[in-house]
Amino acid sequence: FEGANLPTTLEGQAVIRESRVLYVAGKAANAGGVAVSNFEMAQNAQLSHWSNEDVDEKLHLIMRSIYEQIKKESIDGECTLEEGADRVGFLKVAKAMTELGWIW
């Protein structure tokens, strides 16, 4: 279940979690659409064509990696997958800022 840009109230999110439905932050779930758009641009730039199976395989690898990252940052249930996704995003930005010398 995807939480697409928080259309669900906090109370609604609690109900979803209590029902034990896998609930993933919209920013993580929506990454699939962004990835497929990137695939399309890559194919156009290379004047190539990927089969549906190739696209599905590449997308599956990306989405699995995203899930594994947010699962790891949720510290195996210590916090929600949404909070894990927030942590992943924060850590990536902090790392980039450090590498750019903006923070140390």
Side-chain angles (χ1 to χ4, degrees), residues 70-79:
I70 63 176
K71 180 72 174 164
K72 178 184 172 197
E73 289 303 324
S74 72
I75 312 171
D76 295 319
E78 184 178 299
C79 65

Side-chain angles (χ1 to χ4, degrees), residues 49-88:
H49 175 76
W50 299 345
S51 70
N52 290 344
E53 293 79 17
D54 287 341
V55 171
D56 286 346
E57 181 181 339
K58 292 174 189 305
L59 180 59
H60 182 80
L61 290 172
I62 288 170
M63 297 308 291
R64 177 171 293 284
S65 174
I66 290 168
Y67 175 76
E68 289 172 357
Q69 289 175 57
I70 63 176
K71 180 72 174 164
K72 178 184 172 197
E73 289 303 324
S74 72
I75 312 171
D76 295 319
E78 184 178 299
C79 65
T80 67
L81 292 175
E82 303 98 305
E83 291 167 325
D86 289 341
R87 288 180 181 187
V88 169

Side-chain angles (χ1 to χ4, degrees), residues 9 16 47-48 71 79 97 100:
T9 64
I16 292 167
L47 301 175
S48 65
K71 180 72 174 164
C79 65
M97 291 176 72
L100 289 168

